[in-house]
């Protein structure tokens, strides 16, 4: 039997990129699975098991109070007094840094008897790479050289003040003899000369947010802490922060994920957008390479320390197998400019923009049919290269899988939006646009002619065109990504908005990736029925931008309803079951947590509840809150805007009761919508 991918849903996770620590909810880091300290795609600690007098504490509680911290409490019943009440326990406080971790072990005794005991921590390291861990592989621990392990270019070194250090084969044992209540500490410092990335070195602004529905503030607080914990930068460019995609599998640069995370977080930071744009610009493709998927003008998919072996793919360390990141890069540049990215920074990126537009309007359409499509030329890369990139993600209504080359609906929308936004940006900067507007207009016509289908679910754009140019007619969340891109008419947008809020897609906890009425639907499928928070947030954003504020708020509230089940740390994805099937959403057990675009989704919810839009070059703000407000009264103070901040309050009815704008800004009249 093949090894199985280890599960993550029941683990405690603390991180400060590029380091993440995963353990059981009892605090113990055990051999096997995904547990351990991972740094730059290597596991530099694979065991950390605590005992007191040879016995493990009996876990009674755990907490993750911040992205980089975890706390555990376990009973020490063999140390306690004779009565039924526990009188001795161990508190384990963990702190993760970019270069390692530390723990404080506090033994507490309340019965007044000064008992003698031995606290021991057993440590081991296997230096397993992330793809081997993800595949369920196991390897033997390394033999330490003193209180340290070394392999390749990586080092992990233990320190423990006051401890007796015993070397036991491949394990290091730290021992403290203590009496009564006592506290001991140990730490691990790690380094890797081959690591590509360093900490992002910045923190996102934290506006003050108060809402009657406290789930919103709890979600934002958790999400912004997690985004801070995920920020990375290239070693050579430490000032250009971007969001690593997610822990533990994808804690590295991902074009699509990092771009969407920066785009959803724009109301808080144009700096993150600028860093992401520049980092990906430096890696923009310059040549044709079928093995890596590189092409001139194309934006990178992912970059890792070493090649990555997936279940059905063998990816090079620098891989370009994405059909959408190039258009998303252009869209982020435009949106960052609208939110206030300095004109000088924007102009510096115009050569990258034009090179990207060359690919979008040229090589992206590999067979000349007028649509962008993908095919894995190497035979070793990703079979699907949109955001739903699992091998079975593109299905017909009857469940059969589509064959390449695949032209995805949302990719056409991204490309249309990228070209339209590029025209707006270039025109505002006094730069020539050529025939870009005509190209976008022609795409709109082609899309309307070729993509729309009718099934028992309704009339809507197909998920894709397959290799025979047949519409792949499954009803999926992908159609929600078309909203607000300019590809659809107002009537078409409204029709799709109603369809997206139908219970076959809108589960009650968020948007399913595939309609429950299709043959391929499975609530625990990675892309064919599960719920991805970022996917829901993108559709919320599209509904708002297309004038459907009430529908946007309704869908946003569904995602808000899911957040408490995950301790307000929205995972990469979760199961597609709705409230009629389960009182709380069920996890997808191998899901990353935290995930950058899932964390950034919280910012989109805030924007939707405010009905906020900003145009810094025009010095205008739009506020169109849904009525009534789905989160009750809402007050925001200190939202970054140009060189100042925006303060706004709305009451439970959705009316704006207080507004303070930076000097020179004006409020546009509220536009009527759905």
């Amino acid at each position: 039997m093949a090894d199985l991918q280890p599960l993550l849903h029941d683990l405690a996770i603390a991180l400060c990129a590029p380091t993440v620590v995963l353990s059981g909810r009892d605090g113990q880091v055990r051999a096997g699975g995904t547990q351990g300290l991972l740094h730059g795609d290597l596991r530099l600690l694979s065991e950390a098991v605590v005992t007191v007098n040879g016995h493990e504490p009996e876990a009674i509680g755990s907490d993750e109070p911040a992205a980089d911290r975890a706390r555990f409490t376990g009973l020490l019943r063999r140390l306690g007094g004779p009565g039924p009440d526990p009188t001795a326990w161990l508190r384990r406080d963990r702190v993760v840094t970019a270069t390692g971790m530390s723990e404080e072990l506090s033994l507490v005794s309340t019965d007044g008897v000064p008992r003698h005991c031995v606290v021991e921590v057993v440590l081991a390291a296997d230096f397993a790479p992330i793809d081997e861990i993800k595949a369920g592989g196991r390897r033997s621990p390394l033999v330490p050289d003193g209180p340290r392990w070394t392999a390749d270019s990586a080092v992990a070194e233990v320190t423990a003040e006051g401890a007796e250090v015993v070397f036991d084969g491949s394990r290091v044992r730290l021992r403290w003899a203590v009496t009564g209540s006592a506290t001991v500490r140990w730490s691990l410092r790690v380094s890797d000369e081959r690591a590509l990335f360093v900490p992002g070195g910045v923190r996102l602004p934290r506006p003050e947010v108060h809402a009657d529905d406290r789930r919103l503030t709890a979600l934002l607080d958790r999400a912004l802490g997690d985004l801070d914990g995920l920020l990375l930068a290239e070693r050579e460019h430490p000032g250009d922060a971007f969001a690593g995609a997610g822990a533990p599998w994808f804690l590295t640069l991902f074009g699509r994920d990092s771009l969407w995370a920066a785009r959803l977080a724009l109301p808080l930071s144009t700096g993150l957008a600028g860093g992401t744009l520049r980092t990906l610009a430096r890696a923009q493709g310059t040549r044709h390479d079928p093995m890596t998927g590189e092409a001139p003008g194309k934006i990178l998919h992912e970059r890792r320390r070493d090649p990555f072996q997936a279940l059905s793919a063998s990816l090079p360390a620098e891989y370009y197998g994405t059909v959408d990141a190039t258009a998303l890069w252009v869209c982020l540049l435009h949106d960052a400019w609208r939110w206030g990215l300095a004109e000088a920074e924007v102009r510096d990126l115009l050569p990258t923009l034009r090179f990207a537009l060359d690919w979008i309007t040229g090589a992206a359409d590999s067979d000349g049919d007028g649509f962008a499509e993908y095919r894995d030329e190497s035979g070793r890369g990703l079979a699907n290269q949109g955001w739903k990139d699992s091998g079975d993600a593109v299905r017909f209504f009857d469940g059969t899988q589509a064959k390449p080359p695949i032209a995805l609906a949302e990719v056409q929308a991204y490309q249309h939006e990228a070209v339209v936004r590029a025209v707006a940006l270039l025109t505002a900067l006094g730069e020539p646009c050529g025939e870009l507007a005509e190209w976008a207009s022609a795409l709109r016509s082609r899309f309307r002619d070729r993509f729309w289908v009718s099934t028992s679910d309704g009339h809507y754009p197909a998920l894709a065109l397959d290799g025979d140019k047949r519409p792949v007619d499954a009803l999926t969340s992908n159609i929600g990504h078309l909203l607000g891109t300019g590809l659809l008419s107002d009537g078409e947008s409204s029709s799709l908005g109603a369809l997206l809020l139908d219970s076959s897609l809108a589960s009650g906890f968020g948007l399913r990736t595939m309609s429950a009425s299709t043959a391929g639907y499975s609530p625990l499928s990675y892309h064919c029925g599960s719920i991805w928070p970022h996917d829901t947030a993108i559709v919320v954003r599209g509904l708002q931008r297309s004038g459907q504020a009430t529908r946007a708020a309704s869908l946003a509230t569904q995602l808000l309803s899911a957040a408490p089940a995950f301790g307000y740390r929205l995972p990469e994805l979760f199961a597609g079951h709705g409230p009629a099937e389960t009182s709380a959403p069920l996890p997808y057990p191998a899901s990353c947590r935290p995930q950058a675009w899932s964390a950034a989704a919280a910012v989109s919810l805030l924007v939707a509840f405010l009905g906020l839009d900003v145009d810094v070059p025009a010095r205008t703000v739009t506020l169109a809150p849904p009525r009534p407000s789905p989160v009750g009264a809402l007050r925001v103070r200190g939202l970054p805007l140009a060189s100042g901040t925006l303060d706004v309050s709305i009451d439970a009815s959705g009316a704006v009761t207080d507004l303070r704008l930076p000097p020179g800004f004006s409020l546009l009249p509220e536009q009527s919508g759905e």
Side-chain angles (χ1 to χ4, degrees):
M1 179 178 175
D3 292 327
L4 298 176
Q5 179 175 338
L7 306 183
L8 303 173
H9 67 284
D10 58 349
L11 298 184
I13 302 175
L15 85 162
C16 180
T19 303
V20 57
V21 177
L22 305 96
S23 75
R25 288 286 171 186
D26 59 357
Q28 305 285 39
V29 177
R30 303 182 190 277
T34 316
Q35 295 189 31
L37 180 149
L38 286 79
H39 178 85
D41 277 355
L42 283 180
R43 180 163 58 194
L44 301 186
L45 183 74
S46 55
E47 291 181 56
V49 176
V50 173
T51 59
V52 179
N53 282 355
H55 299 284
E56 293 188 27
E58 297 177 73
I60 61 170
S62 65
D63 183 24
E64 294 158 285
D68 59 350
R69 296 170 188 272
R71 299 183 299 211
F72 311 92
T73 301
L75 299 182
L76 304 172
R77 292 198 287 169
R78 290 175 175 82
L79 289 184
D85 294 338
T87 61
W89 56 87
L90 186 78
R91 290 200 307 261
R92 185 173 186 174
D93 289 283
R94 175 177 301 152
V95 177
V96 179
T97 69
T99 57
M101 65 176 289
S102 62
E103 288 192 339
E104 185 174 271
L105 310 175
S106 299
L107 192 153
V108 180
S109 177
T110 62
D111 65 0
V113 179
R115 292 181 175 84
H116 304 287
C117 60
V118 174
V119 178
E120 183 175 76
V121 182
V122 179
L123 305 172
D126 64 4
F127 282 40
I130 189 66
D131 53 350
E132 183 178 314
I133 298 168
K134 193 173 191 292
R138 291 173 175 264
R139 59 168 57 187
S140 299
L142 301 173
V143 175
D145 176 17
R148 58 187 280 158
W149 296 269
T150 304
D152 193 2
S153 61
V155 179
E157 185 166 7
V158 180
T159 58
E161 183 179 351
E164 176 190 8
V165 182
V166 178
F167 302 102
D168 181 10
S170 60
R171 286 165 174 80
V172 174
R173 297 180 180 271
L174 310 176
R175 291 176 181 160
W176 295 266
V178 301
T179 301
S181 296
T183 298
V184 299
R185 299 172 182 85
W186 71 275
S187 63
L188 184 80
R189 183 171 179 81
V190 301
S191 63
D192 179 7
E193 293 179 359
R194 288 187 55 220
L196 299 174
F197 305 116
V198 296
V202 297
R203 292 178 65 86
L204 297 176
R206 297 292 186 96
E208 179 186 338
V209 179
H210 296 280
D212 286 346
D213 189 336
R214 296 185 180 181
R215 295 176 303 178
L216 176 61
T217 52
L219 177 61
L220 280 166
D221 184 63
R222 177 87 251 189
L224 297 185
D226 283 341
L227 276 174
D228 283 341
L230 289 163
L231 296 184
L232 291 165
E234 292 176 307
R235 187 183 295 274
E236 301 83 1
H237 302 277
D240 282 346
F242 63 87
W249 311 130
F250 310 123
L251 193 52
T252 187
L253 176 65
F254 268 73
R256 179 191 306 117
D257 299 54
S258 300
L259 286 163
W260 264 123
R263 198 176 184 194
L264 294 173
L266 266 174
L268 298 183
S269 174
T270 58
L272 177 60
T276 304
L277 289 163
R278 286 188 291 273
T279 300
L280 290 168
R282 287 189 287 269
Q284 189 174 30
T286 58
R287 62 193 180 101
H288 291 280
D289 185 345
M291 298 309 295
T292 66
E294 184 179 355
K298 199 175 182 185
I299 294 298
L300 182 78
H301 175 58
E302 67 180 279
R303 177 185 288 158
R304 292 186 181 270
R305 182 181 189 275
D306 293 304
F308 186 85
Q309 304 299 314
L311 289 176
S312 57
S314 178
L315 306 183
E318 193 164 89
Y319 182 55
Y320 289 80
T322 170
V323 71
D324 52 10
T326 307
L328 291 172
W329 187 96
V330 175
C331 291
L332 177 60
L333 179 63
H334 168 271
D335 289 1
W337 167 70
R338 285 254 308 185
W339 279 93
L341 185 65
E343 183 176 318
E345 295 184 60
V346 174
R347 287 190 179 277
D348 285 345
L349 291 167
L350 291 185
T352 305
L353 169 67
R354 292 197 179 278
F355 204 15
L357 289 170
D358 288 344
W359 184 84
I360 289 169
T361 58
D365 177 13
S366 59
D367 60 9
D369 69 338
F371 299 110
E373 58 268 309
Y374 60 82
R375 178 198 291 273
D376 172 37
E377 295 183 76
S378 72
R380 302 171 56 190
L382 295 173
N384 284 316
Q385 297 184 3
W387 85 260
K388 295 179 180 177
D389 58 3
S390 53
D392 64 350
V394 183
R395 293 172 175 263
F396 287 86
F397 192 86
D398 65 5
T400 58
Q401 293 184 31
K403 295 181 180 179
I406 303 292
L408 291 168
E410 78 273 17
V411 171
Q412 317 315 314
Y414 297 159
Q415 299 225 131
H416 178 272
E417 182 180 11
V419 170
V420 169
R421 305 302 184 203
V423 169
L425 174 59
L426 291 169
T427 300
L429 297 179
E431 297 285 335
C433 302
E435 298 181 353
L436 290 173
E438 291 78 8
W439 184 93
S441 177
L443 176 58
R444 284 195 301 275
S445 298
R446 288 194 300 272
F447 186 88
R448 189 166 288 114
D449 290 342
R450 299 293 306 279
F451 266 79
W452 283 78
V453 298
S454 294
T455 70
S456 58
D457 270 337
H459 186 58
Y460 52 86
L463 165 60
L465 302 181
D466 74 353
D468 295 323
K469 307 306 175 185
R470 296 179 301 162
V472 182
D473 57 353
L475 176 59
T476 65
S477 64
N478 299 56
I479 63 172
H481 292 228
L482 278 55
L483 298 171
T485 65
L487 190 64
L488 305 175
S489 69
D490 290 346
E492 290 166 343
S493 293
S494 181
S495 173
L496 292 195
L499 198 56
L500 287 159
L501 268 293
D502 184 82
S503 60
S504 67
L505 276 173
S507 70
F509 293 132
L511 195 66
R512 294 187 177 102
T513 45
M514 180 174 284
S515 167
S517 64
T518 62
Y521 168 75
S522 171
L524 280 169
S525 166
Y526 198 55
H527 287 129
C528 298
S530 57
I531 297 166
W532 289 63
H534 91 282
D535 184 33
T536 299
I538 289 169
V539 177
V540 166
R541 180 177 180 273
L543 287 165
Q544 181 196 358
R545 294 173 73 194
S546 60
Q548 303 180 68
T550 301
R551 288 171 176 158
S554 175
L555 191 56
T557 303
Q558 290 194 22
L559 195 56
L560 197 59
S561 297
F566 303 104
Y568 295 97
R569 174 178 264 179
L570 287 172
E572 176 188 11
L573 71 156
F574 53 91
H577 303 97
E581 302 164 277
T582 177
S583 59
L586 298 176
Y588 181 88
S591 177
C592 286
R593 192 178 77 256
Q595 184 87 349
W597 56 14
S598 293
V603 183
S604 278
L605 301 194
L606 176 64
V607 170
F609 294 139
L610 290 172
L612 175 65
D613 189 31
V614 166
D615 186 345
V616 170
R619 292 296 192 265
T620 60
V621 171
T622 303
L623 286 166
R627 298 189 178 183
S629 168
V631 292
L634 174 60
R635 184 175 80 249
V636 180
R637 297 287 182 270
L639 189 72
L641 182 55
S643 58
T645 60
L646 180 149
D647 299 340
V648 59
S649 297
I650 63 173
D651 63 20
S653 75
V656 176
T657 59
D658 181 52
L659 177 64
R660 292 181 177 84
L661 298 174
F665 277 78
S666 61
L667 182 68
L668 290 181
E670 183 175 333
Q671 302 295 311
S672 61
E674 166 275 338

